[in-house]
Amino acid sequence: MSFDHREPGTAPEAWTAFLETVAARPVDLAGSAAVLVVAPHPDDETLGAGGLIATAADAGFPVHVVLVSLGEGSHPDSPTTTPDELARRRAVEFRDALTELHPDVTASSLGVPDVGIREQPETLRDAVAARLDATPGRTLLVAPWRGDGHRDHRVAGEVAETLAAERDDVTLLSYPIWAWHWDDADAPAAPWDTARALPLTPGVLGRKRSALAAHRSQVLPLSPSPGDEPVVDERHGAHHLRDTEWFFGTPRSRSRESFDAHYARKPEGWDFDGSWYERRKRAVTLAALPRERYRSALEIGCATGVLTAALTDRADDVLGTDIAAAPLARAQVRAPRARFVQAALPDEWPDGAWDLVVMSEVGYYLSAEDLDRTIDHVLASLADDGVLVACHWRHPDDEAVSSGDVVDARLAERWPRAALVRHVEDDFVLSVLPGPGVRSVARTEGLAP
């Protein structure tokens, strides 16, 4: 996603009309012991979650804000203010804003360079994990929405989603910042089906307004010179100074309708045949199989059947499933020896027992709950001598609800045995997870004791 914050963007009035149609669940603080807010830059905490911070602190919840960077890159063309000067100013503004929200709110600053979190996401991950470890009880973790359009927001959101997926004592809420600016209120890309709403009292809204005003370097011009214009002008600020604060809840699995629309635009789905990346990844996946031949294979999310066709050379019986109908017609032509069924997994899990289950490039389209249910189904239907092979893309995907690394980590956490193979490179991660009767290739062939 690319956008120019200097453009007018979507009018606040357009969002007002849209928000009146949203059936949002309320933000519920009950059951949480503390609130932890991730802010990539000073003012993100106020714009995205200032009302929540104030409301939670008023109710006696411990609230801590992790500030990733000092936002020294907010005015790259300023002729009057250097990045170092901006960093010093914004650090003071951040503390002043939190005081306006509630004097008991605590904060820590990580000092990551502005637009630099992509190069060191572990700095944020370690800091948030340490706070979570030190907090008894359930934590409400509040972070930017990963699809917000700003690189720092995306990485911060991904880190928060990963940690929330790994822990049973964390509830995640995600806040939009720049999506209000670039998204289309008539056909929004943001996941409003997961919306959570927090009504703000007049007093809390007034404190949020005062906190935003404390970020003087962002809401006022640094000088009359070009390049010193405010980043958060009145039009953009209006998105955030509503009497309701909006968040997104845990992502849901990608819908059948979205896949149908994808295949309507691109009947072959992805370039499975022509791309060297796809052909090489497929070869690596097939080479990782510990047996030369299988009795019965299940492929979850088979798309147009390119990998399915290869599996029919390695298994006596192959069943391919996909949530969309359109690719299955092509898959049947491409892999005539396989069987195919349209199914939305995990709800429509096929009957049968399998000694090979393949889950390639599909796990990150599942919600955390649906991924866990899928893992449960695989464990229940996998033969003792069977394996699950999971292969997933590691780069950002705007259509995904998590990431390849999140899926691989959850599989490793939930699987009762260590991976037989785990291959990690920049582009994808592949794991072969065995049943209890699986032995190494050398032992199976009598080459090793």
Side-chain angles (χ1 to χ4, degrees):
M1 171 56 59
S2 62
F3 61 90
D4 188 339
H5 75 273
R6 296 166 295 186
E7 295 295 326
T10 304
E13 296 77 18
W15 284 116
T16 298
F18 169 79
L19 292 172
E20 291 174 351
T21 71
V22 176
R25 290 169 54 188
V27 172
D28 186 8
L29 292 170
S32 296
V35 176
L36 179 59
V37 179
V38 176
H41 317 96
D43 78 2
D44 288 333
E45 80 296 329
T46 298
L47 292 166
L52 176 57
I53 291 170
T55 300
D58 285 350
F61 291 91
V63 181
H64 186 85
V65 180
V66 176
L67 178 63
V68 180
S69 84
L70 292 176
E72 66 274 11
S74 66
H75 289 76
D77 300 320
S78 173
T80 65
T81 310
T82 68
D84 286 344
E85 291 169 338
L86 266 174
R88 289 191 291 271
R89 288 180 60 173
R90 298 197 71 183
V92 173
E93 293 169 358
F94 173 70
R95 292 193 297 271
D96 290 347
L98 291 187
T99 300
E100 292 288 346
L101 293 174
H102 198 285
D104 291 340
V105 175
T106 60
S108 53
S109 180
L110 304 184
V112 174
D114 199 354
V115 200
I117 188 176
R118 185 174 68 178
E119 287 68 40
Q120 45 180 303
E122 68 283 351
T123 301
L124 175 59
R125 178 185 171 86
D126 291 348
V128 174
R131 294 292 310 186
L132 294 173
D133 289 342
T135 304
R138 175 167 291 276
T139 298
L140 178 61
L141 178 60
V142 186
W145 174 46
R146 66 194 296 269
D148 197 49
H150 190 292
R151 186 173 75 176
D152 285 353
H153 294 200
R154 173 181 62 78
V155 177
E158 290 174 347
V159 168
E161 283 188 10
T162 300
L163 286 167
E166 293 173 351
R167 295 168 177 256
D168 295 328
D169 60 349
V170 173
T171 300
L172 177 66
L173 289 179
S174 302
Y175 58 80
I177 298 290
W178 289 110
W180 297 108
H181 176 80
W182 59 258
D183 204 0
D184 182 356
D186 292 329
W192 286 101
D193 59 331
T194 70
R196 303 290 187 269
L198 178 69
L200 307 183
T201 66
V204 165
L205 181 57
R207 285 151 58 192
K208 179 173 180 175
R209 191 180 301 274
S210 297
L212 183 56
H215 290 285
R216 294 170 289 278
S217 68
Q218 305 303 295
V219 300
L220 299 174
L222 297 178
S223 82
S225 302
D228 278 352
E229 298 85 359
V231 176
V232 183
D233 57 20
E234 287 190 17
R235 181 182 173 93
H236 186 66
H239 293 304
H240 302 276
L241 294 175
R242 302 177 183 275
D243 60 7
T244 298
E245 213 161 60
W246 295 88
F247 303 88
F248 303 128
T250 302
R252 297 179 183 176
S253 295
R254 186 176 172 184
S255 68
R256 173 172 280 158
E257 291 76 15
S258 72
F259 280 104
D260 288 342
H262 176 84
Y263 284 107
R265 296 190 305 269
K266 299 176 63 177
E268 279 293 338
W270 290 265
D271 188 15
F272 296 116
D273 286 314
S275 164
W276 167 239
Y277 165 77
E278 290 289 348
R279 288 185 282 125
R280 174 181 173 272
K281 181 188 66 177
R282 194 157 56 248
V284 172
T285 300
L286 294 168
L289 300 180
R291 277 174 28 210
E292 186 174 9
R293 191 144 193 95
Y294 292 85
R295 300 181 299 275
S296 184
L298 170 66
E299 185 183 3
I300 302 171
C302 65
T304 56
V306 180
L307 178 57
T308 322
L311 291 174
T312 60
D313 292 332
R314 301 284 296 273
D316 299 332
D317 179 62
V318 177
L319 175 64
T321 73
D322 202 273
I323 192 173
L328 293 179
R330 293 175 178 267
Q332 190 66 74
V333 173
R334 183 171 272 126
R337 289 182 289 160
R339 298 179 294 120
F340 295 95
V341 62
Q342 184 181 6
L345 305 184
D347 290 331
E348 300 170 350
W349 192 262
D351 293 332
W354 325 95
D355 58 342
L356 173 61
V357 177
V358 178
M359 182 166 62
S360 180
E361 309 294 9
V362 68
Y364 45 63
Y365 293 132
L366 299 174
S367 69
E369 178 184 356
D370 283 348
L371 177 60
D372 276 355
R373 291 171 58 211
T374 298
I375 296 170
D376 289 340
H377 278 303
V378 174
L379 286 167
S381 58
L382 190 69
D384 284 355
D385 61 347
V387 295
L388 167 65
V389 180
C391 183
H392 290 91
W393 173 252
R394 298 187 67 212
H395 297 290
D397 179 349
D398 290 340
E399 300 291 347
V401 298
S402 65
S403 68
D405 287 339
V406 168
V407 172
D408 189 69
R410 189 58 175 170
L411 284 166
E413 181 181 2
R414 291 288 316 282
W415 203 259
R417 288 163 289 280
L420 193 67
V421 176
R422 187 167 188 269
H423 172 81
V424 184
E425 54 182 80
D426 287 347
D427 298 328
F428 67 89
V429 55
L430 181 147
S431 291
V432 178
L433 302 165
V438 175
R439 301 192 301 166
S440 76
V441 175
R443 287 191 174 93
T444 299
E445 295 197 348
L447 303 176

